[in-house]
Amino acid sequence: MKKIILISFFGLLFLTLTSFSMHRFYVALYQVNYAPEKKMLQITSRIFVDDLNSAIGKKYSKKINLGSEKETAADLVLLKKYFTEKFSIKINGHPTTMYLLSKEMEGDVLICYLSIKDIPKITTIEVYNTVLIEGNNEQQNIMHFKAFGIKNTMLFTDSVSTGVLKYE
């Protein structure tokens, strides 16, 4: 657990310090909060936009311009498609539908706001996350979870693409 906390801390530090210059660290951060009063998971992802544009462009053989003035509606469609293929969450063993609510740029980091609705109760959360990992074995996706006052962290790499949390 200490190792994951240290990785998370340094990942966030690197994202912050390198958000205005080229980066050598391949880290994406995700924050997942369960809002029981709204019966939803609220998800925020922070991903270097150049890596995301490169991965999506390579996967779909198209030039992608997310986060720039050249961004098109087709780029957003491919972003949603990419997330659907590379990032999913099952609640209590059931697949869910994730909605991309909005996005914004902070330096060279694309922040995406997503949600999963209609979750009255959680006993397990199963996550699949291979965003950016396919083309870069140095990529690490760090996910922080907060539900029922409990904080957990998962680390996804080229050798770990799924993780499960239990709440009982």
Side-chain angles (χ1 to χ4, degrees), residues 101-140:
L101 303 174
S102 65
K103 62 173 189 48
E104 65 180 319
M105 287 295 299
E106 185 177 279
D108 58 354
V109 174
L110 183 69
I111 303 171
C112 296
Y113 301 97
L114 306 112
S115 72
I116 300 173
K117 299 175 182 178
D118 301 321
I119 305 171
K121 181 181 178 187
I122 295 178
T123 55
T124 61
I125 298 176
E126 182 180 341
V127 179
Y128 170 77
N129 188 336
T130 59
V131 173
L132 302 182
I133 292 174
E134 184 176 276
N136 183 353
N137 64 357
E138 294 180 46
Q139 178 68 35
Q140 296 183 342

Side-chain angles (χ1 to χ4, degrees), residues 1 3-8 11 26-30 127-130 133 138-145 152-165:
M1 184 65 177
K3 183 178 179 183
I4 291 175
I5 292 171
L6 280 174
I7 290 171
S8 300
Y26 301 99
V27 177
L29 295 175
Y30 299 77
V127 179
Y128 170 77
N129 188 336
T130 59
I133 292 174
E138 294 180 46
Q139 178 68 35
Q140 296 183 342
N141 295 331
I142 302 168
M143 292 189 74
H144 298 290
F145 294 83
N152 291 293
T153 299
M154 288 185 193
L155 175 63
F156 298 92
T157 64
D158 67 335
S159 60
V160 178
S161 61
T162 61
V164 177
L165 295 174

Side-chain angles (χ1 to χ4, degrees), residues 8 13 23 25 28-29 37 39 49 57 64 76 93 119 121 128 132-133 138 166:
S8 300
L13 180 66
H23 65 93
F25 304 99
L29 295 175
E37 68 283 354
K39 298 180 182 177
V49 73
I64 305 298
L76 291 176
I119 305 171
K121 181 181 178 187
Y128 170 77
L132 302 182
I133 292 174
E138 294 180 46
K166 295 183 180 183

Side-chain angles (χ1 to χ4, degrees), residues 59 81-88 128-131 134:
K59 178 154 182 63
K81 182 177 179 181
Y82 183 78
F83 269 140
T84 300
E85 293 176 14
K86 300 293 182 180
F87 180 46
S88 64
Y128 170 77
N129 188 336
T130 59
V131 173
E134 184 176 276

